[in-house]
Amino acid sequence: MLFGPIEYTVERIDGDYAYLRQEDQPQQELKCVARALLPPEIAEGTALHYEMMEYTIK
């Protein structure tokens, strides 16, 4: 299990889920994350920092 740090960008929001693109590996498949685990103020294009199982806005 990866605990970070990893940088993501919110590519798409679809209902209760957000699809994140890992910034250093953009060719990888998007990561689907429940919005309940993300900061409530995210929008498409938001840059996120992930570390120790917590997402924060950069």
Side-chain angles (χ1 to χ4, degrees):
M1 178 174 268
L2 293 176
F3 292 103
I6 303 171
E7 308 300 328
Y8 291 103
T9 301
V10 178
E11 288 289 319
R12 180 174 48 140
I13 296 175
D14 187 6
D16 290 335
Y17 296 92
Y19 293 85
L20 311 181
R21 179 164 315 278
Q22 191 169 334
E23 290 182 3
D24 65 342
Q25 296 182 8
Q27 71 283 1
Q28 278 192 347
E29 187 174 323
L30 297 178
K31 179 177 181 176
C32 180
V33 177
R35 289 185 65 191
L37 299 175
L38 301 172
E41 58 273 12
I42 65 161
E44 290 180 359
T46 300
L48 296 173
H49 177 81
Y50 172 81
E51 192 165 11
M52 297 304 293
M53 301 176 62
E54 182 177 320
Y55 294 91
T56 55
I57 294 178
K58 287 186 4 181

